[in-house]
Amino acid sequence: MPGRRLAVLGVGLVVAGIILITATAAFGSAPGSLPGQAAPWGFGPGAMMGFGAANVGSAPDPGSPGFIAGTTAAPRVVRIIASDALRFSPDTVTVKAGETITFEVTTMGMMSHEFMVGPAANVAADTAGTPEVADIAMMATRSLTYTFNGPGPFAFACHAPGHYEGGMKGVVVVVP
Ligand SMILES: [Cu+2]
Protein backbone atom coordinates (compact mmCIF):
# COMPACT_ATOMS: atom_id res chain seq x y z
CA MET A 1 0.00 0.00 0.00
CA PRO A 2 1.78 3.16 -1.23
CA GLY A 3 -0.15 5.38 1.21
CA ARG A 4 0.97 3.38 4.19
CA ARG A 5 4.57 3.37 3.00
CA LEU A 6 4.54 7.16 2.68
CA ALA A 7 3.19 7.47 6.22
CA VAL A 8 5.98 5.22 7.53
CA LEU A 9 8.54 7.25 5.59
CA GLY A 10 7.14 10.45 7.11
CA VAL A 11 7.41 9.10 10.65
CA GLY A 12 10.96 8.00 9.90
CA LEU A 13 11.94 11.49 8.75
CA VAL A 14 10.46 13.05 11.89
CA VAL A 15 12.39 10.64 14.11
CA ALA A 16 15.61 11.38 12.19
CA GLY A 17 14.97 15.09 12.66
CA ILE A 18 14.55 14.70 16.40
CA ILE A 19 17.78 12.71 16.63
CA LEU A 20 19.60 15.41 14.68
CA ILE A 21 18.25 18.18 16.93
CA THR A 22 19.20 16.20 20.04
CA ALA A 23 22.71 15.58 18.74
CA THR A 24 23.13 19.27 17.94
CA ALA A 25 21.98 20.27 21.42
CA ALA A 26 24.37 17.78 23.00
CA PHE A 27 27.30 19.12 21.02
CA GLY A 28 26.39 22.69 21.87
CA SER A 29 26.98 22.18 25.58
CA ALA A 30 30.29 20.55 26.35
CA PRO A 31 30.28 17.64 28.77
CA GLY A 32 30.77 18.79 32.31
CA SER A 33 29.48 22.29 31.84
CA LEU A 34 26.60 23.34 34.03
CA PRO A 35 23.57 25.22 32.75
CA GLY A 36 24.32 28.88 32.35
CA GLN A 37 28.07 28.38 32.42
CA ALA A 38 30.42 28.71 29.51
CA ALA A 39 32.18 25.49 28.68
CA PRO A 40 35.56 25.48 30.45
CA TRP A 41 37.24 23.77 27.51
CA GLY A 42 35.76 26.01 25.00
CA PHE A 43 32.94 25.67 22.57
CA GLY A 44 32.02 29.16 23.77
CA PRO A 45 33.44 32.58 22.96
CA GLY A 46 37.19 32.61 22.80
CA ALA A 47 37.40 28.95 21.90
CA MET A 48 38.99 29.52 18.53
CA MET A 49 42.41 28.69 19.90
CA GLY A 50 41.36 25.08 19.78
CA PHE A 51 40.76 22.12 22.01
CA GLY A 52 43.69 21.45 24.30
CA ALA A 53 45.23 24.92 24.19
CA ALA A 54 46.21 26.11 27.63
CA ASN A 55 44.11 29.25 27.47
CA VAL A 56 40.94 27.85 25.92
CA GLY A 57 37.93 29.94 26.79
CA SER A 58 39.90 32.82 28.22
CA ALA A 59 39.82 36.36 26.86
CA PRO A 60 42.93 37.37 24.87
CA ASP A 61 45.92 38.15 27.10
CA PRO A 62 48.38 41.05 26.76
CA GLY A 63 50.20 40.79 23.46
CA SER A 64 47.40 38.77 21.81
CA PRO A 65 45.09 40.24 19.18
CA GLY A 66 41.88 41.56 20.72
CA PHE A 67 43.37 42.10 24.18
CA ILE A 68 41.28 44.39 26.36
CA ALA A 69 42.68 45.17 29.81
CA GLY A 70 40.36 44.09 32.62
CA THR A 71 38.95 46.77 34.91
CA THR A 72 37.02 46.60 38.16
CA ALA A 73 33.88 47.41 36.13
CA ALA A 74 34.70 44.85 33.45
CA PRO A 75 37.27 42.31 34.62
CA ARG A 76 39.04 40.17 32.05
CA VAL A 77 38.14 36.50 32.38
CA VAL A 78 40.89 33.91 32.71
CA ARG A 79 39.77 30.29 32.81
CA ILE A 80 41.83 27.80 34.74
CA ILE A 81 41.41 24.04 34.95
CA ALA A 82 42.32 22.24 38.18
CA SER A 83 43.17 18.57 37.69
CA ASP A 84 43.63 15.40 39.70
CA ALA A 85 47.29 15.55 38.69
CA LEU A 86 47.58 18.50 41.12
CA ARG A 87 48.14 20.96 38.33
CA PHE A 88 46.54 24.16 37.14
CA SER A 89 46.22 24.71 33.41
CA PRO A 90 47.44 27.20 32.46
CA ASP A 91 50.01 27.55 35.26
CA THR A 92 51.28 30.89 33.98
CA VAL A 93 48.95 33.85 33.54
CA THR A 94 50.08 37.15 32.03
CA VAL A 95 48.40 40.38 33.10
CA LYS A 96 48.94 44.04 32.45
CA ALA A 97 49.93 46.09 35.50
CA GLY A 98 46.83 47.25 37.36
CA GLU A 99 44.49 44.85 35.59
CA THR A 100 41.48 43.28 37.26
CA ILE A 101 41.09 39.60 36.43
CA THR A 102 38.22 37.26 37.16
CA PHE A 103 39.61 33.76 37.46
CA GLU A 104 37.06 31.09 36.56
CA VAL A 105 38.45 27.93 38.10
CA THR A 106 36.97 24.59 37.09
CA THR A 107 37.80 21.24 38.62
CA MET A 108 38.18 18.46 36.07
CA GLY A 109 38.51 15.29 38.07
CA MET A 110 37.44 13.71 41.32
CA MET A 111 39.38 15.88 43.76
CA SER A 112 38.19 19.16 45.24
CA HIS A 113 40.55 22.08 44.94
CA GLU A 114 41.09 25.59 46.24
CA PHE A 115 42.31 28.65 44.41
CA MET A 116 44.27 31.37 46.17
CA VAL A 117 45.76 34.38 44.40
CA GLY A 118 47.80 37.36 45.56
CA PRO A 119 51.35 38.39 46.45
CA ALA A 120 53.60 35.37 45.87
CA ALA A 121 54.97 35.30 49.42
CA ASN A 122 51.46 35.26 50.92
CA VAL A 123 50.28 32.60 48.49
CA ALA A 124 53.30 30.41 49.26
CA ALA A 125 52.77 30.78 53.01
CA ASP A 126 48.96 30.36 52.84
CA THR A 127 48.68 33.63 54.76
CA ALA A 128 45.28 34.29 56.30
CA GLY A 129 43.37 36.96 54.41
CA THR A 130 44.84 36.15 51.01
CA PRO A 131 41.95 35.99 48.52
CA GLU A 132 40.78 32.42 48.05
CA VAL A 133 37.90 30.24 46.94
CA ALA A 134 37.67 26.74 48.42
CA ASP A 135 35.81 23.49 47.88
CA ILE A 136 35.78 23.59 44.10
CA ALA A 137 34.30 20.14 43.59
CA MET A 138 34.30 17.90 40.54
CA MET A 139 33.05 19.74 37.44
CA ALA A 140 32.25 22.83 39.51
CA THR A 141 33.46 26.31 38.64
CA ARG A 142 34.11 29.07 41.15
CA SER A 143 35.32 32.54 40.39
CA LEU A 144 37.62 34.96 42.14
CA THR A 145 38.29 38.53 41.06
CA TYR A 146 41.61 40.16 41.85
CA THR A 147 43.32 43.43 40.89
CA PHE A 148 47.07 43.20 40.24
CA ASN A 149 48.40 46.45 41.65
CA GLY A 150 52.16 46.86 41.83
CA PRO A 151 54.96 44.91 40.17
CA GLY A 152 54.43 41.65 42.02
CA PRO A 153 55.57 38.94 42.10
CA PHE A 154 52.12 37.41 42.20
CA ALA A 155 51.14 33.76 42.29
CA PHE A 156 48.24 31.39 42.68
CA ALA A 157 47.98 28.06 44.44
CA CYS A 158 45.79 25.32 45.83
CA HIS A 159 46.21 24.75 49.54
CA ALA A 160 44.02 21.68 49.87
CA PRO A 161 46.07 19.29 52.05
CA GLY A 162 49.14 18.10 50.16
CA HIS A 163 48.27 19.83 46.90
CA TYR A 164 50.66 22.78 47.12
CA GLU A 165 53.43 20.41 48.16
CA GLY A 166 52.49 18.30 45.15
CA GLY A 167 53.13 21.25 42.86
CA MET A 168 49.66 22.76 42.54
CA LYS A 169 50.68 26.36 41.93
CA GLY A 170 51.13 28.93 39.21
CA VAL A 171 52.62 32.32 38.55
CA VAL A 172 51.18 35.61 37.39
CA VAL A 173 53.50 37.59 35.14
CA VAL A 174 52.85 41.34 35.22
CA VAL A 175 53.75 43.29 32.10
CA PRO A 176 53.87 47.11 31.95
CU1 LIG B 1 44.17 21.18 44.67
Side-chain angles (χ1 to χ4, degrees):
M1 300 239 185
R4 186 176 167 83
R5 279 189 194 149
L6 275 177
V8 169
L9 181 65
V11 169
L13 284 173
V14 168
V15 169
I18 290 169
I19 290 169
L20 191 65
I21 289 164
T22 307
T24 306
F27 183 78
S29 67
S33 68
L34 299 172
Q37 281 184 328
W41 40 28
F43 292 110
M48 61 285 283
M49 280 161 273
F51 192 89
N55 52 355
V56 159
S58 295
D61 61 3
S64 298
F67 168 71
I68 300 169
T71 62
T72 50
R76 178 163 63 91
V77 173
V78 171
R79 295 189 191 284
I80 293 184
I81 302 297
S83 75
D84 279 350
L86 305 186
R87 290 295 180 274
F88 287 116
S89 179
D91 61 5
T92 301
V93 172
T94 303
V95 306
K96 198 168 170 60
E99 250 201 299
T100 300
I101 303 292
T102 294
F103 294 94
E104 298 271 356
V105 185
T106 301
T107 290
M108 291 291 172
M110 304 292 286
M111 294 178 185
S112 284
H113 296 286
E114 302 177 359
F115 182 80
M116 173 182 281
V117 64
N122 295 356
V123 169
D126 196 10
T127 304
T130 310
E132 181 177 41
V133 285
D135 301 323
I136 314 170
M138 179 169 61
M139 298 303 176
T141 299
R142 296 195 65 185
S143 63
L144 181 59
T145 298
Y146 188 86
T147 299
F148 292 91
N149 285 320
F154 296 98
F156 53 92
C158 171
H159 282 292
H163 290 205
Y164 184 79
E165 294 74 13
M168 198 159 191
K169 53 191 163 184
V171 297
V172 178
V173 177
V174 179
V175 298

